[in-house]
Amino acid sequence: MFVSASVTCFFAPVIDDPKNSGSIGVGFTIDRGVEVRLAEKTTFNGKKIRLPTLEYVLSKLGYEGGAEIKSDLPLGCGFGLSGATALASALEVNEKLGLNLSLFQIADLAHEAEVLNRTGLGDVTTQCHGGFVVRKNASAPSICSVDRFLWDVEMDFLVMGELKTSEILEGNLKEVYKIGVECLKKFLKRPSISYLFEVSKEFTLRCGFADDDILDAIEAVESCGGLASMIMLGKGVFALNGDVLRELKGFYTKSRVVWYGIKKSL
Ligand SMILES: Nc1ncnc2c1ncn2[C@@H]1O[C@H](COP(=O)(O)OP(=O)(O)O)[C@@H](O)[C@H]1O
Ligand SMILES: CC(C)(COP(=O)(O)O)[C@@H](O)C(=O)O
């Protein structure tokens, strides 16, 4: 099963019980993500790893074993891979064990794993829909009201390091919530790809999430006529016409935004 990465542009987090936890905001799916197959042991690109969200869903579904995960994106850098692997592996188990669970039943389970481990709030909802996904309320995927913009664009990404989502989600989120809600209201008044970048950058600056490396990368893109903002939550940026990012230090990749989040592997 393939599940796309989910890149969050801005968000307003709510942490409660898993059903009523989530984030309002905007995120998008790309043609890169995780390819997951059930296997004896859990590996990420051939290396043994521990992924709490994956372990949670497998054990809840009664599957004894692990999963082989392949990805050309890094873990812990804001691509929502913890949610993607939980969702993909739960879909695989559903098929293998003939559980006949619905997509939203599975998505809610993957979301629960994310909330309990503080690894994500809105990623699984974004991955259930695809494209530029507007999450209008903070909740589990099955009850989250969404809208989608199907803009056909290619994005540049530069990852300069990891940022532990759990460390931020365990902090004080009151101000982030307020700014996130304001940003969504603004964006929905005149939605466009360029305004999405403007609002996302405003969110990043007002929340104080960006360090000098991030700010320098955004400035480099803008000085070449492109648009950029910070990946939530990772030490990296996403950009439109951001070719210049290739010249900066870090992991660079280019990806197309896709209008799906889940795809059966061939
Ligand atoms: N080498 C690794 N680097 C980063 N995270 C890792 C690694 N190995 C396992 N993990 C697990 O992967 C998850 C990454 O989650 P998160 O920080 O939300 O990033 P992402 O944006 O990829 O979902 C965490 O549960 C973490 O414990
Ligand atoms: C921003 C974040 C809370 C975390 O995203 P990641 O680090 O990619 O797991 C996301 O889940 C969201 O709610 O939009």
Side-chain angles (χ1 to χ4, degrees):
M1 195 74 62
F2 170 85
V3 174
S4 165
S6 147
V7 181
T8 298
C9 309
F10 61 86
F11 68 108
V14 174
I15 301 182
D16 198 323
D17 62 278
K19 247 208 145 84
N20 296 305
S21 296
S23 74
I24 291 163
V26 177
F28 59 89
T29 53
I30 56 176
D31 60 7
R32 284 161 201 263
V34 292
E35 284 282 354
V36 175
R37 278 191 330 125
L38 296 176
E40 211 177 302
K41 297 252 153 33
T42 296
T43 54
F44 187 85
N45 292 337
K47 282 198 194 130
K48 265 198 187 172
I49 57 153
R50 294 214 59 181
L51 258 176
T53 52
L54 175 98
E55 289 168 17
Y56 184 86
V57 298
L58 294 187
S59 108
K60 279 275 173 176
L61 295 176
Y63 181 79
E64 284 173 21
E68 179 192 274
I69 307 152
K70 288 189 181 152
S71 180
D72 39 22
L73 295 172
L75 264 172
C77 297
F79 290 103
L81 299 194
S82 52
T85 44
L87 183 56
S89 56
L91 286 163
E92 287 285 332
V93 173
N94 187 45
E95 204 173 313
K96 184 167 179 113
L97 302 186
L99 301 177
N100 292 314
L101 294 169
S102 74
L103 170 61
F104 281 130
Q105 283 174 313
I106 291 170
D108 281 3
L109 179 65
H111 173 78
E112 187 176 304
E114 283 268 86
V115 173
L116 296 178
N117 288 293
R118 302 286 192 268
T119 45
L121 294 170
D123 294 323
V124 178
T125 297
T126 295
Q127 286 152 347
C128 278
H129 297 277
F132 288 86
V133 179
V134 180
R135 303 182 305 260
K136 296 182 176 176
N137 65 301
S139 70
S142 64
I143 50 172
C144 185
S145 160
V146 303
D147 205 347
R148 299 158 69 209
F149 289 92
L150 303 184
W151 293 316
D152 188 18
V153 288
E154 213 170 28
M155 296 272 198
D156 302 277
F157 299 90
L158 182 72
V159 175
M160 294 174 277
E162 284 184 23
L163 203 66
K164 258 195 147 186
T165 302
S166 55
E167 273 169 25
I168 294 189
L169 295 188
E170 268 148 22
N172 185 358
L173 300 172
K174 232 173 117 185
E175 192 61 16
V176 177
Y177 178 82
K178 189 174 150 263
I179 299 168
V181 169
E182 278 173 32
C183 285
L184 183 64
K185 275 193 193 141
K186 260 180 130 165
F187 168 71
L188 288 175
K189 278 195 183 138
R190 48 185 183 102
S192 72
I193 187 82
S194 55
Y195 197 49
L196 177 62
F197 275 94
E198 196 179 318
V199 172
S200 303
K201 190 175 133 190
E202 179 193 322
F203 174 81
T204 298
L205 297 178
R206 284 176 64 191
C207 288
F209 285 145
D211 63 12
D212 286 347
D213 293 337
I214 303 270
L215 296 175
D216 288 349
I218 294 175
E219 206 181 299
V221 173
E222 289 177 346
S223 66
C224 293
L227 298 167
S229 191
M230 181 179 167
I231 298 174
M232 296 293 142
L233 277 161
K235 185 176 158 75
V237 300
F238 62 98
L240 198 66
N241 300 323
D243 245 11
V244 67
L245 292 176
R246 288 176 198 272
E247 292 161 27
L248 306 186
K249 219 171 139 202
F251 165 80
Y252 167 87
T253 190
K254 204 176 182 80
S255 269
R256 185 159 283 282
V257 174
V258 289
W259 302 340
Y260 58 84
I262 302 165
K263 203 169 69 165
K264 181 101 178 82
S265 305
L266 296 175

